[in-house]
Amino acid sequence: MSNLIYICHIIESEDDGGMAWNRAFYNFFLNKNSKIYNMYHSNIMVRLFRLIVFIFQILSYRRKKIFIHIGSIFNIFPKFILRRKFGIFLLKKFIIILAKKNHLIFEINDLPYEQAKDLDLPIE
């Protein structure tokens, strides 16, 4: 098992600027022989199955380098969960547990924020 874990959300039908950025990271990690978790799937049942498998596996990792796209967090913890205190508590616990046993790297892309701002959309 590789010491490099990559958590992403690749949507096959999209190729806009943000997804092109994600695909570039995906291709980089694919060539590094890393364990890749794509947290997105168009079928909700497949997505839930992936999430369950992911949670059990990721919490067992130790001494790994884990690279997470910040947008993937919203596939693990959807916005309707994060709008509640308990959802924020779960996210915080998840990050603390991973960070105690592993080296975490978050890729924070502000493109969705910038797009929402430019298009006068609500910013969450």
Side-chain angles (χ1 to χ4, degrees):
M1 163 66 83
S2 174
N3 281 334
L4 190 57
I5 311 298
Y6 176 54
I7 303 167
C8 63
H9 59 287
I10 302 295
I11 303 171
E12 294 300 326
S13 62
E14 289 187 23
D15 61 355
D16 66 355
M19 195 52 61
W21 178 259
N22 291 351
R23 285 183 202 279
F25 277 100
Y26 176 83
N27 291 335
F28 173 82
F29 283 100
L30 194 61
N31 292 327
K32 294 290 183 190
N33 191 30
S34 59
K35 173 70 176 164
I36 298 175
Y37 290 97
N38 183 6
M39 300 311 298
Y40 178 81
H41 195 279
S42 58
N43 183 315
I44 191 69
M45 295 308 289
V46 172
R47 196 181 315 180
L48 286 173
F49 177 75
R50 283 184 183 179
L51 180 61
I52 292 166
V53 169
F54 166 77
I55 294 293
F56 281 109
Q57 288 181 350
I58 199 79
L59 293 177
S60 69
Y61 289 151
R62 293 191 177 16
R63 294 183 293 281
K64 306 282 186 193
K65 290 181 183 176
I66 302 175
F67 189 94
I68 305 173
H69 276 283
I70 197 69
S72 301
I73 292 293
F74 300 116
N75 285 296
I76 301 167
F77 298 95
K79 289 180 184 177
F80 73 89
I81 291 174
L82 293 177
R83 287 187 182 118
R84 291 161 178 70
K85 287 183 181 181
F86 185 69
I88 296 296
F89 170 80
L90 287 177
L91 174 61
K92 184 178 174 183
K93 280 292 188 191
F94 176 76
I95 291 172
I96 289 170
I97 290 169
L98 286 182
K100 282 184 178 181
K101 300 187 266 182
N102 303 283
H103 179 78
L104 291 182
I105 302 167
F106 285 94
E107 186 276 331
I108 300 176
N109 184 341
D110 67 347
L111 185 60
Y113 170 76
E114 292 297 327
Q115 288 175 335
K117 202 166 125 183
D118 291 343
L119 298 171
D120 291 327
L121 298 173
I123 298 171
E124 298 185 51

